[in-house]
């Protein structure tokens, strides 16, 4: 059938039914509501930063549950000024292992997780809890994701913690020093540790009520290259009736590199002499 006005042998011109109908039907000009190309990078970012956004909380009382832990950490993070990702709660998720009395608390940002590390030793339902990095924490990757240290301006006094007591004590080179005689003063422990070099951070853990030493401390050296040397030289040293346990706090024991062996041997001799001198002085002054 040929329409009026049409030339035989040619297709008639067809007027579109509705102008712009095809673009609107298939939505070529705007993304649809579900767009995996947009959502996938966000999901990948969440997964990539998860190890740096979680904190380990140990020593929980038996009454603790996911809700009470989340509420508590939201409150103390707000109290110290640790919520840096904007208004709202810092905690996204809490997983509790009731048998072993620990939890993983997932924060919404890397910076807020680092701020939470300053809460180590805080009292939760009458018990002091340990706040640490989880075992899957990767310091090298985390360094590119955000701050790895707590903000130095946090108001720790608002939650009963001593401001600056653990300053500079985070990271893979944090050293645990256990088995200290209870009568060793902070100055004496620091002097022993500084025989390997100046400290960037130091904390002799004390009883909150009596102020007496609990027999262990944490430290970080300014020169991170001496970390393994100090651990190997001090570990196993006899101090009075005690034996020191000295190791990296977050990664367990580690061995010095071969090129450090000579330095280590000399350091062990010097430390042994210093320890004997310190112990003799303490007993002499008693």
């Amino acid at each position: 059938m040929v329409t009026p006005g049409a030339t035989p042998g040619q297709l008639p011109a067809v007027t579109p039914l509705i102008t712009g109908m095809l673009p609107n039907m298939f939505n070529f000009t705007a993304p649809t509501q579900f767009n995996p190309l947009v959502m996938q990078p966000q999901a990948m970012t969440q997964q990539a930063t998860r190890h740096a956004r979680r904190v380990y909380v140990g020593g929980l009382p038996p009454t603790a549950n996911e809700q009470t832990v989340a509420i508590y950490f939201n409150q103390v993070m707000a109290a110290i000024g640790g919520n840096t990702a904007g208004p709202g709660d810092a905690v996204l998720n809490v997983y509790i292992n009731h048998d072993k009395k620990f939890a993983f608390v997932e924060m919404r940002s890397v910076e807020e997780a680092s701020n939470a590390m300053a809460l180590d030793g805080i009292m939760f339902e009458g018990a002091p809890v340990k706040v640490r990095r989880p075992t899957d924490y990767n310091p090298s990757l985390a360094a590119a994701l955000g701050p790895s240290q707590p903000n130095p301006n946090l108001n720790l006094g608002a939650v009963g913690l001593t401001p600056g007591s653990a300053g500079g004590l985070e990271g893979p080179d944090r050293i645990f020093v256990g088995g200290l005689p209870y009568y060793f003063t902070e100055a004496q422990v620091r002097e022993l540790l500084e025989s390997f070099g100046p400290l960037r951070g130091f904390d002799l853990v004390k009883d909150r009520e009596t102020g007496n030493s609990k027999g262990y401390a944490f430290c970080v050296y300014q020169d991170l290259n001496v970390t393994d040397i100090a651990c190997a030289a001090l570990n196993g040293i006899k101090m009075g009736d005690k034996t020191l346990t000295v190791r990296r706090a977050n990664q367990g024991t580690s061995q010095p590199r071969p090129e450090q062996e000579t330095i280590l041997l000399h350091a062990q001799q010097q430390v042994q002499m210093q320890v004997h001198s310190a112990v003799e002085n303490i007993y002499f002054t008693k």
Side-chain angles (χ1 to χ4, degrees):
M1 181 178 68
V2 179
T3 57
T7 303
Q10 293 183 352
L11 292 175
V14 179
T15 303
L17 297 176
I18 302 175
T19 304
M21 178 178 178
L22 291 179
N24 288 336
M25 285 178 61
F26 295 98
N27 202 13
F28 290 143
T29 57
T32 58
Q33 184 175 1
F34 175 76
N35 190 338
L37 296 179
V38 174
M39 295 179 66
Q40 188 176 0
Q42 182 179 1
M44 291 175 63
T45 301
Q46 289 287 324
Q47 184 64 28
T49 61
R50 189 165 179 259
H51 73 97
R53 291 186 294 102
R54 292 197 311 162
V55 297
Y56 164 89
V57 181
L60 292 172
T63 55
N65 59 50
E66 286 82 356
Q67 184 178 9
T68 58
V69 171
I71 292 174
Y72 181 77
F73 273 87
N74 281 329
Q75 291 175 343
V76 295
M77 284 289 289
I80 66 174
N83 290 0
T84 55
D89 294 334
V91 177
L92 290 182
N93 185 43
V94 176
Y95 164 79
I96 291 186
N97 185 316
H98 291 281
D99 293 334
K100 297 185 178 181
K101 300 178 181 178
F102 73 84
F104 290 118
V105 179
E106 183 178 349
M107 301 293 180
R108 60 182 173 175
S109 74
V110 172
E111 185 175 2
E112 288 176 340
S114 295
N115 287 340
M117 299 307 296
L119 299 173
D120 184 33
I122 196 169
M123 300 296 290
F124 174 76
E125 296 184 359
V129 294
K130 300 176 182 178
V131 181
R132 302 281 191 271
R133 297 289 189 183
T135 55
D136 65 344
Y137 177 72
N138 189 318
S140 299
L141 294 178
L145 300 176
S148 58
Q149 300 291 333
N151 189 314
N153 298 319
L154 295 176
N155 183 17
L156 298 179
V159 293
L161 294 174
T162 303
S165 61
L169 285 176
E170 275 309 312
D173 295 288
R174 179 175 184 252
I175 296 175
F176 167 81
V177 184
L180 292 168
Y182 296 112
Y183 49 78
F184 262 48
T185 66
E186 186 170 325
Q188 289 166 332
V189 177
R190 180 184 282 273
E191 181 182 0
L192 174 66
L193 296 173
E194 286 182 338
S195 61
F196 296 92
L199 298 174
R200 188 178 74 196
F202 171 76
D203 181 26
L204 177 63
V205 180
K206 300 177 182 179
D207 185 275
R208 292 180 179 277
E209 296 182 357
T210 65
N212 296 330
S213 168
K214 287 189 173 184
Y216 65 95
F218 296 95
C219 73
V220 174
Y221 285 95
Q222 290 185 12
D223 182 3
L224 302 181
N225 291 322
V226 306
T227 300
D228 290 334
I229 296 176
C231 290
L234 291 170
N235 189 53
I237 291 288
K238 295 285 186 180
M239 300 192 72
D241 57 346
K242 298 279 189 177
T243 301
L244 290 185
T245 298
V246 184
R247 56 177 172 77
R248 288 176 182 263
N250 297 336
Q251 298 179 351
T253 57
S254 56
Q255 298 298 322
R257 296 188 297 272
E259 62 268 21
Q260 296 174 328
E261 293 293 341
T262 303
I263 302 175
L264 172 59
L265 180 61
H266 177 72
Q268 286 175 325
Q269 296 171 346
Q270 295 295 321
V271 168
Q272 194 66 60
M273 293 174 58
Q274 185 174 347
V275 167
H276 285 313
S277 176
V279 171
E280 288 177 359
N281 289 338
I282 290 172
Y283 280 110
F284 181 77
T285 55
K286 277 189 172 181

